[in-house]
Amino acid sequence: MSYSAHIDTFTRDSLPPPEQQPEFLFELPELRFPERLNCATPLLDRQVAEGRGGRLCIQAPGVRWTYADLQQRANRIANVLVGELGLVPGNRVLLRAPNNPMLAACWFAVMKAGAVAVATMPLLRAKELAHVITKARVSHALCDARLADELKSAAAQCPELQHIRYFNDATTTGLEAAMATHSTEFCNVDTALTDTCLLAFTSGTTGQPKGTMHFHRDVMASCVCWPPHVLRPVADDVFMGTPPLAFTFGLGGLLLFPLSVGASTVLLEQGGPRDLVDAVATYQATILFTAPTSYRAIAPLAAPLRGSSLRKCVSAGEALPAATRALWKEATGIELIDGIGATELMHIFISADEAHARPGATGTVVPGYVACVMDDDGRPSPPGRVGKLAVKGPTGCRYLADERQASYVKDGWNYTGDAYTLDADGYYRYHSRTDDMIISAGYNIAGPEVEDALLRHPRVAECGVIGVADDERGQIVKAVVVLRPGSEPTAETVKELQDFVKQSIAPYKYPRSIEFASALPRTETGKLQRFRLRQMFQGEH
Ligand code: 3UK
């Protein structure tokens, strides 16, 4: 057995069997890391050791922390965990808070102590938290005092969760009071490159959420692939955005990547369109991370962003419709940087920077990764043919004790569950989730293509397209549309939208059925829940 700093070996014992693991690639020189590495050292402590402790690191309403401030808080929390709460390396620590500076300090404390961070979405309820706690055998929790209720009721069902401390809590039993009695010095646990430090649960659009395991190496790999090659941030950048730190999109974009280049980040608890536009001005943000639907919602308010401090905008989480890319460019003058990532792979592996963006395509493979569009037999498909997206790189899927490992990883490839085509010049185009392809009268129709066509109509605010069962055609295309204010959900509007689609894409793809709704079901990470749309409308047309 190779070296590990973990005394509690649960994560190591729960890794998928070697034959079910993906192949890992480390060809880029920057991916050759030392055998022992604690990611908190290069990301946080190095900045202070090299004399940048006084630089701005994290901002939030009423908060301005330097790198030294964050380091001292993380060290105090690590001392509380180890000195007061009996934490040993390898233990799992649940983290629960909206995006705020104390959550970031807790995350680094867990890294420093050689433990495993299990960050959870703020909206999770007791039942879902209990699943995570049981599955990950969580022994400790650090939780924002405002989110205590659901955690308390989950903890009542979970005997393994022994130690909870609440932060952003001014009482004498709060984490801050405990921190005050501990040192600002902490010697990071000398973890192995391959010690697990992160258990990220998938947003679970179907079935029970799966826990994905990431090593210290994976955290560092995510910082040296997409950010320097595509985003290219600099030390003076100010990062901002909406994805929760419990979502690896947010963890990377709003914490790891800014720190990896000595830049600063703004952590906001509220990420509504108005909040974001105002916050760009308040903090002079230069890089924004959010989901496609959020760009669409901000666009009407985005005029002040043109010519502002903002210079780069990243879209991920779901497919970016060409219509939304155009809308954002019109509103702000900024070309979006699209990128597909996955919890299983930690962060983005196909993307294009603003100079190389092509409407309707996600981009090209990120340096460090290889990708392939496979046919049903696991052989590469010719250019232009729709197939299953498979990727390999320095990060990859390791589910915590889950039989679904065998369906995500085959022959060493990670299958993301997306239907893609590869163009002759290396651009990957998203079609749909593989399970969501609509088959109508023998034609394959990708819902997102129909959505993109509908989104170009001025009456459409948002829409979701699904296939519903039909006796004659097998399935028919059905659109659920949220209208912009001032439009009426009438038969005339249905006809107008149908004609509009027929004129912009092949007529057989038009939505034979259109339903109006006031909102669409979405996950906390901004993804449309097509399965819920299907449940709502299955068989009706
Ligand atoms: C879909 C996209 C088209 C796709 C994520 C950036 O979304 C993230 O992780 P999840 O595990 O979901 C993964 C799935 O989401 N998707 C994400 N981005 C795009 N589809 N174009 C895109 N740009 O189905 C993928 O398989 O929630 C995204 C960074 C880290 C992440 N975890």
Side-chain angles (χ1 to χ4, degrees):
M1 267 283 218
S2 56
Y3 169 81
S4 167
H6 283 185
I7 293 169
D8 172 345
T9 60
F10 171 75
T11 53
R12 191 182 246 219
D13 300 339
S14 314
L15 285 169
E19 67 279 7
Q20 284 188 18
Q21 294 204 23
E23 190 189 334
F24 291 98
L25 308 174
F26 303 102
E27 258 129 65
L28 287 185
E30 52 270 45
L31 288 168
R32 302 203 185 110
F33 300 110
E35 278 307 307
R36 294 197 190 183
L37 177 91
N38 184 318
C39 67
T41 308
L43 290 173
L44 176 54
D45 301 280
R46 180 180 59 100
Q47 303 292 350
V48 179
E50 293 178 358
R52 293 183 291 274
R55 278 184 62 89
L56 184 60
C57 181
I58 301 187
Q59 295 186 86
V63 179
R64 258 179 90 87
W65 285 358
T66 62
Y67 275 85
D69 291 331
L70 176 63
Q71 183 192 42
Q72 288 173 12
R73 280 170 175 86
N75 286 348
R76 286 183 192 270
I77 299 167
N79 282 317
V80 172
L81 286 169
V82 175
E84 258 180 57
L85 306 178
L87 182 95
V88 300
N91 282 168
R92 274 75 55 216
V93 183
L94 185 121
L95 301 176
R96 174 169 168 76
N99 285 0
N100 61 41
M102 274 299 284
L103 176 60
C106 289
W107 192 87
F108 274 107
V110 173
M111 296 302 116
K112 285 170 161 277
V116 179
V118 186
T120 55
M121 297 289 182
L123 290 181
L124 290 194
R125 309 300 299 256
K127 182 168 172 283
E128 298 150 305
L129 285 171
H131 169 75
V132 168
I133 293 165
T134 309
K135 181 93 199 186
R137 303 234 191 107
V138 169
S139 54
H140 295 70
L142 300 175
C143 175
D144 193 299
R146 292 162 296 169
L147 298 179
D149 291 352
E150 295 292 328
L151 183 62
K152 283 183 178 154
S153 50
Q157 313 159 34
C158 298
E160 60 275 58
L161 178 49
Q162 290 288 324
H163 307 280
I164 307 181
R165 284 289 180 280
Y166 295 98
F167 55 87
N168 292 327
D169 176 341
T171 66
T172 52
T173 54
L175 179 61
E176 282 86 348
M179 285 164 69
T181 68
H182 285 273
S183 161
T184 56
E185 305 280 321
F186 184 85
C187 183
N188 294 351
V189 170
D190 193 19
T191 46
L193 197 57
T194 53
D195 278 333
T196 293
C197 64
L198 203 68
L199 261 170
F201 278 81
T202 58
S203 38
T205 42
T206 48
Q208 283 288 14
K210 293 161 276 194
T212 66
M213 298 199 265
H214 295 293
F215 299 164
H216 286 271
R217 182 180 71 202
D218 305 319
V219 168
M220 295 318 298
S222 74
C223 294
V224 301
C225 291
W226 179 77
H229 290 102
V230 182
L231 183 66
R232 296 190 306 278
V234 295
D236 287 330
D237 271 314
V238 180
F239 288 62
M240 172 187 289
T242 62
L245 297 181
F247 182 26
T248 59
F249 178 38
L251 179 69
L254 301 177
L255 191 60
L256 307 177
F257 304 164
L259 270 61
S260 72
V261 296
S264 70
T265 186
V266 180
L267 297 177
L268 299 171
E269 298 192 349
Q270 257 93 39
R274 174 56 62 203
D275 305 315
L276 282 175
V277 173
D278 293 347
V280 168
T282 308
Y283 300 97
Q284 293 291 296
T286 60
I287 301 184
L288 180 64
F289 283 77
T290 190
T293 43
S294 168
Y295 284 109
R296 212 176 151 78
I298 305 166
L301 314 172
L305 302 182
R306 186 182 282 276
S308 73
S309 55
L310 196 61
R311 64 185 198 101
K312 288 174 189 264
C313 297
V314 179
S315 169
E318 65 174 3
L320 174 65
T324 301
R325 175 185 285 289
L327 192 67
W328 189 253
K329 179 96 188 259
E330 246 165 66
T332 65
I334 300 172
E335 191 73 69
L336 284 170
I337 301 174
D338 187 9
I340 177 173
T343 308
E344 288 81 353
L345 286 125
M346 184 81 195
H347 221 272
I348 294 174
F349 46 85
I350 292 175
S351 181
D353 67 20
E354 54 278 52
H356 296 91
R358 289 199 192 165
T362 313
T364 56
V365 70
V366 168
Y369 289 84
V370 293
C372 199
V373 174
M374 302 285 197
D375 67 16
D376 286 339
D377 302 320
R379 282 188 298 251
S381 290
R385 178 137 347 130
V386 180
K388 296 175 179 164
L389 182 65
V391 290
K392 271 184 207 175
T395 58
C397 178
R398 303 179 200 98
Y399 288 136
L400 169 71
D402 200 305
E403 55 194 28
R404 289 168 290 186
Q405 177 76 18
S407 47
Y408 202 93
V409 177
K410 290 190 201 94
D411 307 323
W413 290 91
N414 298 279
Y415 280 80
T416 64
D418 298 294
Y420 258 84
T421 49
L422 171 60
D423 291 355
D425 45 4
Y427 276 76
Y428 288 83
R429 277 174 198 275
Y430 175 85
H431 291 260
S432 70
R433 293 285 302 168
T434 33
D435 308 340
D436 287 341
M437 195 60 92
I438 303 165
I439 303 169
S440 183
Y443 288 108
N444 275 351
I445 301 167
E449 188 187 356
V450 185
E451 287 162 14
D452 182 47
L454 278 166
L455 288 172
R456 289 164 195 276
H457 193 287
R459 293 193 194 284
V460 177
E462 276 191 274
C463 66
V465 168
I466 52 171
V468 293
D470 180 77
D471 290 344
E472 211 177 306
R473 296 169 185 271
Q475 282 187 309
I476 59 158
V477 177
K478 177 174 197 115
V480 183
V481 171
V482 180
L483 290 172
R484 285 198 191 279
S487 294
E488 294 301 319
T490 59
E492 287 72 43
T493 307
V494 168
K495 176 85 170 47
E496 187 183 325
L497 294 178
Q498 288 173 326
D499 290 345
F500 182 79
V501 172
K502 282 187 205 165
Q503 276 157 28
S504 63
I505 55 176
Y508 68 85
K509 297 175 182 169
Y510 89 93
R512 283 174 192 271
S513 163
I514 293 184
E515 199 89 33
F516 297 103
S518 55
L520 297 178
R522 289 193 184 275
T523 64
E524 232 185 309
T525 58
K527 286 188 218 300
L528 178 63
Q529 293 172 305
R530 283 170 212 282
F531 76 100
R532 283 187 54 199
L533 277 187
R534 278 193 290 267
Q535 281 166 1
M536 286 155 74
F537 297 108
Q538 193 59 259
E540 298 167 25
H541 42 266

